[in-house]
Amino acid sequence: MCGIAGYIGDRNAPEILFDMLKRLEYRGYDSAGIACISDQGVTVFKDKGKVDEVRGKVDCEKILSKTGIAHTRWATHGEPSEYNAHPHSDCTGRFIVAHNGIIENYKDLRAGLTGRGHKFESETDTEVIPHLIEELYTESFEAAFREALKKLRGSFAIVAISTLEPDKILIARKDSPLIVGLGNGENFIASDTPAILPNTKKILILDDFDYGVVTKNSVAIKDIQTGDELKKKVQTIQWNIKQAEKEGYPHFMLKEIFEEPEAVKNAIKALKGVEDIAKKLTRYKRIYFVACGTASYAGLMGKYLLERFSIPSDAVSASEFRYSTINTIDSDCAIIAVSQSGETADTIASVKKAKDKGAYILSIVNVLGSTLTRISDDNIYTYSGPEIAVASTKAYLGQMTSITVLGLYLAREFGKIDGDYVNEIIDDISNLPGKIQQILSNEDEIKELARKLSDKDIFFYIGRRLNYPTALEGALKIKEISYVHAEAYPAGELKHGPLALLEKGVPVVAINPNDDLLEKMDSNIQEARARNAIILVVGENGDLKTPMIDPLLSPILYVVPLHLFAYYISVFKGLDPDKPRNLAKSVTVE
Ligand code: M6R
């Protein structure tokens, strides 16, 4: 949800800032802007549109600036427009701010500031920040900034500059991610690591209630309340620059689907500590998987897997968990939070609340050093590499692999499964990357199927037990990147209502593993076929063919053709699958 960036050094700031924004564009792309300080004062350029569209209107070389801030927006308050785009200034143009998050008390602050003569130019919550700084300024930019921060409620990652002290960028964080990339004689500020990867791998991560003063040669991180300087460990980013680039693929989404074999391999490599974590989990009476979107389907698969071994568990969307399920949580509960980014607001809030109630927190996360990893008791990293496309694909396979291994070890700890069988399945998991590769080599067939069905305006996905989440994931992918209505149902539910919508030509995708419910699924497929629906079976003998696999592992494999299928539906519709309308990759607001 919005990407923010800052640069201070000796190079042309506008060029660097637009490059950084481009790498943060997955966080929001309805408008963009930069503010740079130069001898001529401050230059602010912002407009509606994607980063490249806005960049195309600016002659970066003419802006002789070495210090600036930037923003790519996902609108929360106020429609996408030039005047609502960041950065925002105070009345005098001396204080300029870009912000990611939501200032919840902005209405009160704005009313107070308006009463004192401040003039606002946008509908955003953010604009109160530069006006607050203006109001509180006496002789120090830093002091006014810090006092302003104390008045804000809600979430923020902020970068701010001032014409009065052009040699620094001030930054702050609460509940929205922010890092500083450390260079030689230059420093970078960003919402996320891909933005700084071409320039440095050394970073400082801000925690909630930290603020900082960044110059070209120094970074001081301090506590908002006390103003005391804090010691921060310099961390090294493990990703490389190539991983965050398209490398010849037309879209990040396609590249990331083709990285799914690697994602499974990496998740297995990283699973050393999982046996110990499984032992720990046996202490808890109930296990909850908590997550959002695609990650929540990985969690739901985990619930079905544990139930398969009679281990009580549940999977709850984080946006519901934090306000409802939380009332039932105590120290007998274990929470397994699942997240690619580790920055999803609802997931983090759920974890914080559950932690306050004494629950044990395990997180399954892709991004190292993310907020979720720092508030959990234990972490399992999926090491899927950077996932840039808004639609999650390879990260889902990483999550499913980690959850499956964890579930199997846990079942073994509880004595619900034979140790030899566990070893056998773990061996099978190491064969998964090859099997996924086999599916990917059928790309042309899947593409052709997508071409034929790309004019459909409704899709149904059905599955049972472990593959009901696969159906949900298949439907979500179609919805989010093709804007086509897609519904997923447990196959047995079809006849309780949705069957009424089936008629000639409606596509029904049936996830049909070779397990003890194969015949039941076949009956459900017949029910749909009898209504002249177009049936696409995913399975060993299906239309979307999958290699033979132990049914327990089928969800990891069967989702692969669904990802490719959704990708090509979007492409045949002439859409950009990497940047679906109205969405952003990291949902850091509630
Ligand atoms: O970073 P997270 O895994 O916590 O993100 C959760 C969801 O926002 C995410 O999976 C979203 O649903 C994707 N756009 C789905 O493709």
Side-chain angles (χ1 to χ4, degrees):
M1 306 267 105
C2 302
I4 61 172
Y7 172 76
I8 185 161
D10 286 327
R11 293 192 274 161
N12 178 273
E15 294 276 3
I16 292 177
L17 289 169
F18 275 120
D19 284 348
M20 291 174 79
L21 283 191
K22 189 74 196 138
R23 291 171 179 280
L24 290 173
E25 210 176 11
Y26 66 88
R27 303 178 65 87
Y29 33 82
D30 61 44
S31 41
I34 58 167
C36 296
I37 299 182
S38 68
D39 293 344
Q40 294 102 50
V42 67
T43 307
V44 180
F45 192 90
K46 53 187 191 168
D47 210 346
K48 188 178 163 176
K50 292 186 178 151
V51 171
D52 281 344
E53 288 160 20
V54 178
R55 184 184 199 153
K57 298 174 189 167
V58 186
D59 191 345
C60 290
E61 279 178 17
K62 284 216 176 116
I63 306 173
L64 302 173
S65 164
K66 294 165 179 173
T67 303
I69 58 174
H71 188 270
T72 179
R73 183 166 184 246
W74 182 86
T76 57
H77 294 66
E79 61 170 11
S81 67
E82 187 268 330
Y83 62 91
N84 283 330
H86 298 215
H88 292 285
S89 307
D90 70 315
C91 300
T92 64
R94 292 177 303 168
F95 304 105
I96 306 102
V97 167
H99 160 234
N100 165 212
I102 293 182
I103 305 303
E104 288 167 0
N105 57 337
Y106 84 100
K107 282 189 185 152
D108 290 347
L109 292 172
R110 188 167 167 141
L113 287 160
T114 306
R116 296 178 66 84
H118 289 259
K119 296 262 178 299
F120 286 80
E121 292 184 351
S122 77
E123 297 152 341
T124 65
D125 51 330
T126 302
E127 201 183 347
V128 297
I129 306 170
H131 287 278
L132 267 180
I133 301 173
E134 177 192 3
E135 184 68 22
L136 296 163
Y137 180 80
T138 50
E139 54 190 18
S140 153
F141 178 28
E142 179 182 338
F145 180 71
R146 195 177 136 220
E147 287 312 308
L149 295 175
K150 288 187 196 165
K151 297 192 182 301
L152 304 180
R153 278 209 325 268
S155 59
F156 53 77
I158 298 171
V159 280
I161 50 174
S162 171
T163 53
L164 301 173
E165 298 178 34
D167 59 337
K168 64 184 63 136
I169 300 177
L170 301 187
I171 61 177
R173 167 196 165 132
K174 182 185 169 272
D175 292 335
S176 293
L178 196 62
I179 57 168
V180 182
L182 306 171
N184 276 333
E186 58 183 358
N187 287 308
F188 307 81
I189 300 130
S191 300
D192 201 358
T193 48
I196 58 160
L197 261 181
N199 295 299
T200 179
K201 286 191 165 192
K202 301 271 173 238
I203 58 165
L204 294 175
I205 301 175
L206 269 76
D207 288 298
D208 285 347
F209 306 107
D210 287 354
Y211 81 101
V213 183
V214 183
T215 70
K216 63 183 235 183
N217 291 312
S218 67
V219 180
I221 307 293
K222 304 181 184 185
D223 181 287
I224 293 177
Q225 280 313 319
T226 65
D228 294 342
E229 189 159 347
L230 304 163
K231 279 212 159 44
K232 292 274 162 186
K233 198 170 151 229
V234 176
Q235 315 222 16
T236 306
I237 308 171
Q238 303 299 328
W239 295 345
N240 64 49
I241 180 74
K242 269 182 141 185
Q243 287 177 299
E245 284 175 351
K246 283 192 202 149
E247 292 186 289
Y249 284 92
H251 297 105
F252 278 111
M253 184 176 173
L254 188 63
K255 178 188 178 214
E256 287 158 11
I257 293 172
F258 273 81
E259 287 171 347
E260 288 184 340
E262 203 61 28
V264 171
K265 256 187 224 163
N266 291 342
I268 310 170
K269 267 194 250 160
L271 285 176
K272 273 207 178 103
V274 174
E275 292 191 71
D276 291 339
I277 291 176
K279 282 193 182 102
K280 253 191 213 178
L281 279 172
T282 57
R283 294 182 210 147
Y284 299 92
K285 293 205 176 108
R286 195 155 187 93
I287 295 172
Y288 289 89
F289 290 91
V290 178
C292 294
T294 285
S296 76
Y297 304 149
L300 186 60
M301 192 284 295
K303 163 203 150 83
Y304 279 108
L305 183 72
L306 295 193
E307 284 177 351
R308 158 81 179 71
F309 299 112
S310 317
I311 302 168
S313 82
D314 208 345
V316 188
S317 292
S319 54
E320 291 297 313
F321 182 94
R322 64 186 286 190
Y323 295 115
S324 186
T325 321
I326 191 66
N327 298 326
T328 68
I329 300 300
D330 58 25
S331 55
D332 284 333
C333 299
I335 309 299
I336 304 183
V338 189
S339 176
Q340 187 285 128
S341 62
E343 300 294 350
T344 299
D346 282 321
T347 310
I348 289 169
S350 298
V351 160
K352 283 182 179 167
K353 283 184 166 181
K355 205 172 168 178
D356 285 348
K357 293 195 142 200
Y360 162 75
I361 313 287
L362 165 67
S363 285
I364 298 182
V365 183
N366 187 34
V367 179
L368 270 71
S370 55
T371 304
L372 201 54
T373 65
R374 286 180 287 133
I375 57 177
S376 303
D377 295 307
D378 285 302
N379 292 301
I380 296 176
Y381 289 104
T382 54
Y383 295 107
S384 315
E387 192 180 65
I388 312 276
V390 167
S392 188
T393 54
K394 63 174 179 173
Y396 183 62
L397 272 87
Q399 292 158 359
M400 304 268 280
T401 307
S402 302
I403 290 173
T404 301
V405 176
L406 177 68
L408 290 169
Y409 284 152
L410 190 56
R412 189 181 62 191
E413 286 301 323
F414 276 119
K416 307 276 186 188
I417 187 173
D418 179 65
D420 289 341
Y421 182 45
V422 172
N423 293 339
E424 248 172 61
I425 307 185
I426 304 275
D427 273 354
D428 270 2
I429 295 182
S430 53
N431 294 325
L432 267 175
K435 295 185 181 189
I436 297 170
Q437 200 58 58
Q438 250 174 280
I439 296 175
L440 294 175
S441 61
N442 285 339
E443 182 187 8
D444 286 346
E445 277 170 43
I446 298 169
K447 186 175 173 181
E448 180 52 19
L449 217 47
R451 193 189 58 73
K452 282 189 191 147
L453 297 174
S454 58
D455 61 343
K456 297 289 174 192
D457 51 16
I458 188 162
F459 283 84
F460 283 90
Y461 283 72
I462 55 171
R464 283 174 179 264
R465 293 186 303 196
L466 292 171
N467 279 299
Y468 168 48
T470 313
L472 286 163
E473 168 64 0
L476 179 67
K477 284 293 105 86
I478 294 271
K479 273 186 270 216
E480 74 174 327
I481 60 171
S482 297
Y483 321 148
V484 171
H485 191 76
E487 286 283 355
Y489 283 96
E493 276 293 304
L494 214 51
K495 55 188 166 299
H496 295 287
L499 207 55
L501 288 168
L502 290 197
E503 56 186 354
K504 190 166 188 269
V506 171
V508 177
V509 182
I511 328 294
N512 202 8
N514 195 359
D515 63 12
D516 55 317
L517 292 185
L518 184 79
E519 286 171 5
K520 306 268 177 223
M521 272 302 289
D522 277 343
S523 307
N524 300 137
I525 290 169
Q526 290 317 324
E527 287 154 15
R529 192 164 271 142
R531 273 82 192 172
N532 292 317
I534 298 176
I535 310 293
L536 292 183
V537 175
V538 183
E540 286 167 22
N541 299 310
D543 310 272
L544 293 162
K545 234 180 240 6
T546 50
M548 271 174 61
I549 187 87
D550 186 307
L552 281 182
L553 302 182
S554 62
I556 309 178
L557 197 62
Y558 285 22
V559 75
V560 177
L562 301 186
H563 282 164
L564 257 189
F565 181 67
Y567 169 78
Y568 276 114
I569 295 266
S570 170
V571 168
F572 284 119
K573 283 184 163 302
L575 301 170
D576 178 354
D578 280 353
K579 296 194 191 78
R581 70 183 179 202
N582 305 339
L583 300 179
K585 179 93 183 144
S586 273
V587 185
T588 54
V589 295
E590 203 181 322

